């Protein structure tokens, strides 16, 4: 499944699970009529619309785009996966310092 197909599939599931129609959600968000159904044809949302939809459905934009499989990527593992190698090294050093401070061990 292509990423934009996955976007529409996930959006459709979220609309269905909300118990509302796509048109009702479009009205609530101030979108033009049938704008959500237009994604069925493979279009991708603008950044603003992606954020708006993710906030409306309380899911991560990465989830909507098919980058991650969990609706919310707030777990430490998912956050760690998004870091660069340099950021991971920095996080490792920070964690070591916290650990040593907790046990009052000097570096």
């Amino acid at each position: 499944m292509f990423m934009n197909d996955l976007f529409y599939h996930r959006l459709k599931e979220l609309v269905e699970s909300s118990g509302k129609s796509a048109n009702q959600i479009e009205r609530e968000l101030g979108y033009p009529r049938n704008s959500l159904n237009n994604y069925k044809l493979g279009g991708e949302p603008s950044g603003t619309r992606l954020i708006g939809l993710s906030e409306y459905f309380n899911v991560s934009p990465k989830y909507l785009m098919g980058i991650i499989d969990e609706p919310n990527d707030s777990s430490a593992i998912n956050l760690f996966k998004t870091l660069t190698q340099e950021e991971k090294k920095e996080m490792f050093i920070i964690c070591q310092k916290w650990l040593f401070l907790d046990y009052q061990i000097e570096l």
Side-chain angles (χ1 to χ4, degrees):
M1 189 177 301
F2 293 111
M3 198 173 290
N4 53 357
D5 293 336
L6 188 54
F7 170 78
Y8 178 73
H9 176 73
R10 288 183 173 177
L11 178 62
K12 183 179 174 190
E13 285 180 345
L14 290 167
V15 169
E16 290 171 358
S17 68
S18 74
K20 299 178 182 180
S21 70
N23 288 334
Q24 184 179 359
I25 293 170
E26 290 164 344
R27 282 191 304 273
E28 290 177 14
L29 292 171
Y31 297 165
R33 186 173 167 85
N34 292 322
S35 60
L36 297 182
N37 284 327
N38 290 337
Y39 296 122
K40 183 189 287 188
L41 303 174
E44 291 187 358
S46 67
T48 303
R49 183 145 308 165
L50 178 62
I51 297 300
L53 290 168
S54 67
E55 288 177 350
Y56 182 86
F57 290 110
N58 196 30
V59 296
S60 167
K62 290 180 181 181
Y63 171 76
L64 280 175
M65 295 303 295
I67 297 170
I68 62 172
D69 293 329
E70 296 298 319
N72 295 301
D73 65 348
S74 60
S75 74
I77 292 171
N78 284 333
L79 292 173
F80 190 76
K81 288 179 183 178
T82 66
L83 300 176
T84 65
Q85 282 302 107
E86 191 61 36
E87 291 169 329
K88 287 177 182 177
K89 289 177 188 176
E90 186 177 342
M91 183 62 70
F92 177 75
I93 292 168
I94 291 169
C95 290
Q96 277 186 322
K97 288 180 181 178
W98 287 338
L99 181 62
F100 288 127
L101 285 174
D102 282 349
Y103 291 100
Q104 298 180 353
I105 300 171
E106 291 189 33
L107 293 175

